[in-house]
Amino acid sequence: ILSGVPGVGKSMLAMQMAAQMGRSAPGAIYSIEMSGKAVARRLISGMGSIDTRAIKTGKLDDSQWGSFVKAVDTLSQLPIYMSDGSNWTTTSLRADLSRLKAQHGIKWFVLDYLYLLNDGVGSDEIERTSLASKGLKRAARELDLAGIAVHSMNKAGMNESSDIPSQGQLRGSGQVVYDADLITFLTPYSRKLDKD
């Protein structure tokens, strides 16, 4: 699970992790939050060290054009399969992951955002995140795939003034904590370390 307060770059980091993993093994990106174009811009931005606004507007200087072309060429050769559909449930996601594993040998997936899965629509937030978390964990385990899911924090976590986020600040059900093998929080500040 990759989490943090809004605006710290969770999706950007997850996409850059996907690009790095794609260099050594095929995988899949499920971007429920952003369009495929936005994901491609972020991947190219990171690979080419170019500001995403410059890519979006097309206002690139000569050195940036070279980096842009090289990043696009590199990205086009990576075995990364992407969907920006918005109607995924853990059941349909598992079926698609199974298909991609059988056809292309994928080893990993990135899901941007866990809470946007359509499991338990109409239920409360705790029930929805519990269903999504359990379903995603089951799919990863049964298909033997590594998975990264971007997940948001609850209101208390977003307003928390403490230096270190806690697992209790994840949005929705505590089931997420039990299903995750690793939880990473991004924060918008640096903490001063004691010199002792």
Side-chain angles (χ1 to χ4, degrees):
I1 296 291
L2 178 60
S3 189
V5 297
V8 293
K10 298 181 293 292
S11 296
M12 181 67 153
L13 177 60
M15 295 310 145
Q16 294 310 312
M17 292 168 81
Q20 281 303 115
M21 290 185 292
R23 292 175 189 269
S24 58
I29 295 173
Y30 295 89
S31 178
I32 303 174
E33 185 197 26
M34 294 185 294
S35 70
K37 287 180 183 178
V39 171
R41 273 195 300 270
R42 288 184 182 208
L43 286 167
I44 292 165
S45 169
M47 293 173 102
S49 299
I50 307 167
D51 188 283
T52 52
R53 287 172 292 208
I55 294 172
K56 192 172 183 176
T57 62
K59 295 180 180 177
L60 305 172
D61 61 33
D62 291 341
S63 66
Q64 289 174 321
W65 274 111
S67 296
F68 176 81
V69 170
K70 184 177 178 183
V72 169
D73 184 53
T74 300
L75 183 59
S76 69
Q77 295 179 42
L78 294 178
I80 298 175
Y81 305 90
M82 192 186 76
S83 170
D84 64 355
S86 60
N87 293 320
W88 291 105
T89 62
T90 53
T91 303
S92 61
L93 186 72
R94 188 199 183 288
D96 198 56
L97 288 168
S98 181
R99 176 187 65 81
L100 289 171
K101 182 168 184 172
Q103 292 178 354
H104 304 289
I106 66 164
K107 303 283 185 192
W108 57 267
F109 66 91
V110 171
L111 172 66
D112 187 16
Y113 263 99
L114 176 71
Y115 188 72
L116 294 179
L117 286 170
N118 285 316
D119 293 70
V121 171
S123 302
D124 66 20
E125 184 173 289
I126 291 172
E127 174 91 15
R128 285 189 66 198
T129 53
S130 180
L131 288 170
S133 178
K134 282 187 212 174
L136 199 61
K137 175 72 172 188
R138 190 176 306 117
R141 187 181 66 240
E142 290 172 359
L143 296 171
D144 192 25
L145 296 173
I148 297 171
V150 178
H151 189 48
S152 53
M153 295 178 77
N154 59 31
K155 289 181 183 178
M158 287 187 233
N159 297 325
E160 189 65 44
S161 61
S162 67
D163 288 340
I164 302 172
S166 70
Q167 295 173 350
Q169 295 169 342
L170 289 172
R171 184 175 185 178
S173 171
Q175 184 68 40
V176 175
V177 174
Y178 295 108
D179 292 331
D181 294 319
L182 176 68
I183 300 171
T184 302
F185 290 98
L186 297 182
T187 58
Y189 50 83
S190 62
R191 191 170 160 230
K192 292 183 180 178
L193 299 175
D194 293 334
K195 294 182 180 179
D196 298 333

